[in-house]
Amino acid sequence: MGQRSQRGFIAEELDRLESLHQRRSLKRLEARGASDLFFQGKRLINFSSNDYLGLSEDERVKRAAKAAIDQYHASAASSRLICGNLDLHEQLEKELAAFKEKESALVFSSGYMTNIGLISALAGKEDEIYSDELNHASIIDGCRLSQARIRIFQHRDLDHLESLLRSSSATGRRLIVSDSVFSMDGDLAELPGLVDLAEKYDALLGLDEAHATGVLGSRGRGGCEHFADLGLMEQRQGSIDVAMGTLSKALGSFGGFVACSRSMRDFLINKCRSFIFSTALPPSAVGAARASLDIVQQDRGLREKLWRNTSVLRKKLQERGFDVGPSETPILPIRFGSELKALTISAGLLEMGFYVPAIRPPSVPSGTSRLRLTVTAAHSEAQIEALVQALDCLRAREEQSADGG
Ligand SMILES: *Cc1c(COP(=O)(O)O)cnc(C)c1O
């Protein structure tokens, strides 16, 4: 039993993933902009970015990042509780709190770190967490880390959630968690119903607004604003105990945040291990996020362009018979089922000048491999039309080869 046999599992596991068409590898990009990127010397139109408003390349955002470096340097040099807490962090938190209509906010090193720290701070062994079956991996990991009893409810199924809540045997707290926009399907949580159930069963409600921040609602404030705009929800953010989000999607920067009550913020500063034991966000990320947050609120035009592009892409896909499922957002997935088929279409698109990676298990349930298209404000209608034509052409080619033609 030498070291050799101990290490054999690495090659074995990689071979196993390969045989399932589930092995992943990194693609090395030479440059990336809001709607395009360079890969193997070739310019490709990018339909996979989360930079929904194109803010990562906005000159105002980049200038703010540089100014923050000039004033505060390249690193925060320690965790927030040691010597990493700059006035800059607290300014961003104040602005995030106002944006989310909450008393306060707390920023973290990433959205992933936010969720694992937040959920494991809010729930423990005696508690129960109710989690939508399609919640993001960072929520799943936060639930596991908490050691609470995890009760998974069927996707967006309020009746199922209620039946689980009714049969609760928790001696401690109950926490309901959901994405507000589901990251692989682009559909929305039934927020008004979640709020009602949280109230009825005295549960805490946590919402992951990663893909909603800057995107949903007339002022980009997220899921609550979206439903309030539709007149389907009276209270806005007040009914959500903790709304988390990321600075790294529509805000074009990096980091995560929680918007919550002042006492919840104090609690998290004391109890949240991913906050306590990790270096504070670098000044550049904070500076960039502040500038983006300002643009998101001042400039409705960008969001209007994003939604115009979304409806153009959805309509063109539907006209050609592509099923994008229940998506209501700029995330428009086309399911191909098998990993191989999704990979083949993705490779075909690459050849034709479009970058759309295939999304496979474990990012999505087995048998639901897909191309996950995301459209941004930076795309032109001509780029969208060209993408849909390419997809059409590749599908025809696939069908021909399936017929043995
Ligand atoms: C991307 C994402 C996260 C993680 O955010 P990062 O800032 O990228 O770590 C969390 N939740 C959801 C739903 C996401 O889509």
Side-chain angles (χ1 to χ4, degrees):
M1 298 300 274
Q3 299 207 330
R4 189 169 295 239
S5 64
Q6 284 288 299
R7 306 236 160 94
F9 77 96
I10 296 174
E12 268 167 37
E13 178 61 8
L14 289 172
D15 288 347
R16 188 185 70 86
L17 290 171
E18 185 76 51
S19 70
L20 295 170
H21 306 292
Q22 289 181 7
R23 180 167 171 172
R24 299 162 182 224
S25 61
L26 295 170
K27 292 205 179 62
R28 185 170 57 244
L29 308 181
E30 294 108 39
R32 186 199 60 77
S35 64
D36 62 355
L37 53 79
F38 281 81
F39 177 58
Q40 296 177 344
K42 203 169 138 191
R43 176 174 179 256
L44 304 170
I45 308 304
N46 181 13
F47 280 97
S48 66
S49 166
N50 298 317
D51 185 9
Y52 293 111
L53 302 173
L55 289 176
S56 76
E57 69 167 27
D58 188 287
E59 286 306 323
R60 294 164 289 182
V61 174
K62 287 162 65 171
R63 260 201 312 275
K66 289 174 194 164
I69 288 184
D70 287 340
Q71 189 175 348
Y72 297 94
H73 315 310
S75 168
S78 88
S79 70
R80 293 282 293 282
L81 283 163
I82 306 296
C83 69
N85 185 42
L86 298 168
D87 52 4
L88 191 66
H89 292 108
E90 296 201 3
Q91 281 156 2
L92 172 60
E93 288 172 344
K94 233 181 176 166
E95 289 153 5
L96 283 166
F99 176 65
K100 297 295 291 178
E101 301 176 319
K102 296 298 257 184
E103 280 177 8
S104 70
L106 189 65
V107 295
F108 288 74
S109 310
S110 71
Y112 181 88
M113 298 271 272
T114 308
N115 272 339
I116 61 167
L118 173 69
I119 296 170
S120 58
L122 288 179
K125 278 201 178 90
E126 311 292 312
D127 306 326
E128 285 183 341
I129 303 175
Y130 296 79
S131 177
D132 187 288
E133 66 178 331
L134 294 188
N135 275 344
H136 190 260
S138 55
I139 295 181
I140 297 170
D141 293 353
C143 293
R144 291 175 180 161
L145 199 56
S146 75
Q147 300 187 45
R149 180 175 179 213
I150 304 165
R151 310 195 72 194
I152 313 263
F153 59 92
Q154 281 152 28
H155 183 48
R156 300 170 68 204
D157 187 337
L158 294 174
D159 291 334
H160 188 220
L161 171 59
E162 179 156 24
S163 75
L164 293 179
L165 283 163
R166 215 181 290 123
S167 70
S168 166
S169 58
T171 50
R173 289 185 288 277
R174 284 179 289 273
L175 168 66
I176 302 171
V177 278
S178 179
D179 285 6
S180 60
V181 173
F182 289 90
S183 54
M184 293 300 141
D185 293 85
D187 53 345
L188 302 182
E190 304 280 352
L191 256 190
L194 289 178
V195 167
D196 289 345
L197 287 178
E199 209 154 273
K200 184 169 169 190
Y201 292 90
D202 191 23
L204 288 164
L205 180 56
L207 198 62
D208 181 339
E209 300 253 61
H211 291 278
T213 305
V215 171
L216 280 185
S218 51
R219 289 166 300 173
R221 291 171 197 235
C224 289
E225 186 176 55
H226 168 81
F227 283 101
D229 288 347
L230 295 174
L232 296 174
M233 228 167 118
E234 282 167 35
Q235 328 94 312
R236 288 175 178 248
Q237 313 289 348
S239 38
I240 314 292
D241 296 283
V242 280
M244 69 74 64
T246 173
L247 308 175
S248 26
K249 287 172 179 154
L251 294 176
S253 179
F254 188 74
F257 70 87
V258 173
C260 56
S261 68
R262 205 164 287 125
S263 57
M264 177 73 85
R265 180 178 186 271
D266 290 342
F267 174 85
L268 293 174
I269 290 172
N270 283 278
K271 302 294 285 186
C272 203
R273 292 172 66 85
S274 67
F275 176 86
I276 298 170
F277 296 107
S278 190
T279 299
L281 272 186
S284 53
V286 181
R290 290 187 68 204
S292 291
L293 195 58
D294 191 46
I295 295 169
V296 158
Q297 294 175 89
Q298 303 300 328
D299 187 353
R300 282 168 188 242
L302 278 177
R303 198 161 31 258
E304 282 162 13
K305 177 87 188 299
L306 169 66
W307 284 101
R308 219 167 28 249
N309 280 347
T310 300
S311 58
V312 168
L313 176 55
R314 186 194 290 110
K315 189 158 159 276
K316 286 183 188 293
L317 288 171
Q318 282 167 347
E319 278 168 5
R320 288 186 175 75
F322 288 104
D323 181 8
V324 295
S327 168
E328 297 184 58
T329 66
I331 300 167
L332 294 160
I334 305 174
R335 287 191 187 190
F336 290 98
S338 89
E339 284 83 340
L340 191 55
K341 199 161 174 197
L343 284 169
T344 306
I345 305 269
S346 172
L349 282 174
L350 199 74
E351 252 165 54
M352 296 172 83
F354 301 93
Y355 189 86
V356 188
I359 307 285
R360 296 165 282 163
S363 300
V364 294
S366 111
T368 71
S369 285
R370 65 198 70 182
L371 293 185
R372 175 178 173 275
L373 305 174
T374 54
V375 69
T376 73
H379 288 111
S380 69
E381 196 163 330
Q383 289 172 333
I384 295 171
E385 172 62 27
L387 169 73
V388 179
Q389 279 183 17
L391 275 166
D392 212 11
C393 164
L394 288 165
R395 179 177 54 183
R397 203 192 284 171
E398 267 292 288
E399 280 165 8
Q400 238 175 19
S401 69
D403 292 345

